[in-house]
């Protein structure tokens, strides 16, 4: 009898001809998530198994962060043999209400699921005078999963993970990561659909502090395990923002900054082969996130801009931020480059034409080139 950790996945089932590809991705991502642990991972058709481990709770926590995983259980592995399973289940000590739940994937197993569940339930009742069956709301469910590999897995607890799709092999997304609450959550949401991402952060040193930058680096490290990031690019917008401030309409300051952020992102996408830009914008959250503002920003984007939080309320975003452990860091009170030179009367319905007219007042190409030349690349694995 072996102790194992049983991993179930769900959406991959729907992938038809691509199922093999997605299962392989998931398998590799789980192996990567467990690289610090002493254990082995095995693919047994529609389930994955971890064997030869010690720190089972830590391992389960690490697996929970891998997208594509539906749920995880500590289980014992038995042979698909009526007597073996029966004698194991008969010895389980139960002092509460319970039920047996049998899943017979191995159709050559001689007893049908419901019949075997009833047989096992009776054995448990006979062996435990305080046990009672409750089909609808039991304190304990004895799960018996009879698989096609000739093995049966018996378990009680199920830890649910995030489901979704496994992260792809390539880092296709570039997440605009600020120190706020929203953008780490946006990265998490896109990663849940399989988008592996790196990070791009803008600061305005010395108007923003080194602590503000460190906070974003900390956030990057916190969400790295979810989004599969390797690099964080840090760009200084100081010179650009000063030029906007002195020469351009102040009510357009945020729009002009956002358009510049996207221009920088365009160049990095081209250079490092990212296919899409991700932001934490949410419709109507602030003046810079009205449809007109987003349209003005989109007008300079050369790659699709994904905004997974577009329909989220702040409370919904905060709930996720707390769950993924970014909230406490995000609310540390350091300045962001967007809050530096913040106009008192930001335009709510900016026009592309006006933004372009403002940009002509400075040497934008040169200033963007300066930002790119002075980029700092942080290797998050170092
Ligand atoms: P968050 O930055 O997390 O959204 P916020 O709501 O305070 O918090 P916004 O002003 O709403 O920030 O910014 C909208 C989006 O623009 C962010 O989600 C992020 O994707 C991008 N962004 C803003 N500031 C920066 C920055 N300094 N560096 C990189 N991206 C930024
Ligand atoms: Mg926001």
């Amino acid at each position: 009898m072996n102790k194992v950790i049983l991993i179930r996945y769900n959406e991959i089932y729907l992938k038809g001809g691509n199922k093999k590809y997605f299962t392989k991705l998931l398998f590799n991502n789980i192996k990567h998530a467990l690289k610090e642990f002493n254990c082995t991972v095995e693919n047994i058709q529609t389930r994955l198994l971890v064997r030869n481990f010690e720190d089972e709770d830590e391992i389960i926590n690490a697996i929970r962060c891998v997208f594509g995983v539906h749920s995880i259980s500590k289980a014992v592995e038995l042979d698909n043999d009526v007597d073996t399973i029966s004698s194991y289940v008969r010895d389980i000590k139960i002092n509460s209400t319970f039920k047996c739940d049998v899943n017979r994937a191995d159709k050559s197993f001689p007893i049908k699921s419901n019949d075997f569940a009833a047989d096992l339930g009776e054995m448990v009742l006979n062996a435990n005078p305080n046990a009672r069956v409750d089909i609808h709301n039991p304190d304990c469910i004895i799960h018996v999963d009879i698989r096609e590999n000739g093995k049966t897995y018996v378990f009680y607890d199920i830890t649910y993970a995030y489901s979704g799709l496994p992260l792809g092999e390539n880092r296709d997304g570039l997440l605009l990561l600020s120190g706020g609450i929203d953008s780490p959550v946006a990265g998490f949401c896109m990663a849940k659909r399989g988008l592996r991402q790196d990070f791009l952060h803008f600061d305005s040193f010395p108007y923003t502090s080194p602590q503000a930058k460190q906070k974003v680096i900390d956030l990057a490290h916190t969400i790295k395990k979810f989004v599969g990031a390797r690099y964080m690019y840090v760009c200084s917008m100081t010179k650009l923002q000063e030029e906007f401030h002195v020469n351009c309409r102040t009510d357009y300051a945020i729009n002009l900054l956002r358009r510049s952020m996207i221009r920088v992102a365009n160049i990095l996408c081209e250079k490092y082969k990212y296919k899409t830009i991700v932001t934490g914008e949410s419709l109507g959250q602030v003046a810079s996130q009205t449809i007109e503002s987003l349209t003005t920003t989109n007008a300079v984007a050369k790659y699709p801009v994904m905004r997974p939080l577009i329909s989220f309320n702040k409370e919904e975003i905060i709930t996720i931020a707390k769950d993924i452990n970014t909230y406490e860091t995000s609310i540390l009170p350091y300045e962001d480059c967007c809050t530096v030179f913040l106009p008192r009367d930001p335009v709510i319905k900016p026009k592309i034409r006006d933004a372009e007219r403002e940009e002509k007042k400075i040497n934008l190409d040169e200033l963007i080139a300066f930002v790119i030349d002075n980029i700092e690349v942080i290797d998050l694995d170092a």
Side-chain angles (χ1 to χ4, degrees), residues 178 180-183 258 280-282 285-286 289 309 314 317:
S178 71
I181 296 169
D182 303 333
S183 45
R258 286 261 187 275
E281 288 158 313
S282 159
Q285 191 184 77
V286 284
Q289 293 171 32
L309 308 186
K314 200 73 187 188
I317 299 171

Side-chain angles (χ1 to χ4, degrees), residues 226-278:
F226 291 113
V227 310
R230 173 77 196 268
Y231 297 110
M232 175 157 124
Y233 309 97
V234 181
C235 297
S236 169
M237 299 303 251
T238 311
K239 239 178 140 175
L240 196 70
Q241 284 190 275
E242 286 172 342
E243 287 290 306
F244 284 141
H245 187 64
V246 172
N247 300 295
C248 307
R249 276 173 61 174
T250 54
D251 59 340
Y252 266 73
I254 298 278
N255 302 95
L256 298 176
L257 178 63
R258 286 261 187 275
R259 282 163 63 91
S260 300
M261 289 180 174
I262 296 291
R263 285 191 166 96
V264 171
N266 283 338
I267 295 170
L268 292 181
C269 285
E270 199 168 343
K271 187 165 173 192
Y272 297 112
K273 309 276 179 274
Y274 299 109
K275 294 177 183 160
T276 181
I277 297 164
V278 181

Side-chain angles (χ1 to χ4, degrees), residues 92-208:
I92 296 174
K93 296 278 163 276
I94 302 267
N95 282 312
S96 58
T97 59
F98 79 100
K99 76 169 178 179
C100 292
D101 187 81
V102 175
N103 176 31
R104 190 180 61 126
D106 172 8
K107 297 301 177 205
S108 71
F109 190 79
I111 311 178
K112 286 197 169 159
S113 303
N114 286 342
D115 298 341
F116 196 39
D119 294 350
L120 293 174
E122 204 169 318
M123 287 175 212
V124 173
L125 277 178
N126 290 338
N128 294 278
N130 294 327
R132 255 184 317 116
V133 173
D134 183 342
I135 299 293
H136 301 294
N137 194 19
D139 294 319
C140 167
I141 302 179
I142 301 169
H143 296 270
V144 178
D145 192 10
I146 306 168
R147 305 306 308 169
E148 305 93 324
N149 63 339
K151 299 289 178 190
T152 292
Y153 300 92
V154 181
F155 56 93
Y156 319 99
D157 297 323
I158 301 180
T159 301
Y160 288 94
Y162 295 103
S163 296
L165 291 176
L167 286 178
E169 285 160 296
N170 302 321
R171 297 188 309 276
D172 284 338
L174 185 60
L175 171 68
L176 269 56
L177 182 64
S178 71
I181 296 169
D182 303 333
S183 45
V185 174
F188 169 85
C189 291
M190 288 314 301
K192 194 167 147 190
R193 300 311 301 160
L195 185 71
R196 192 180 280 272
Q197 300 150 73
D198 278 334
F199 308 130
L200 170 57
H201 174 65
F202 299 97
D203 70 13
S204 299
F205 188 77
Y207 302 104
T208 56

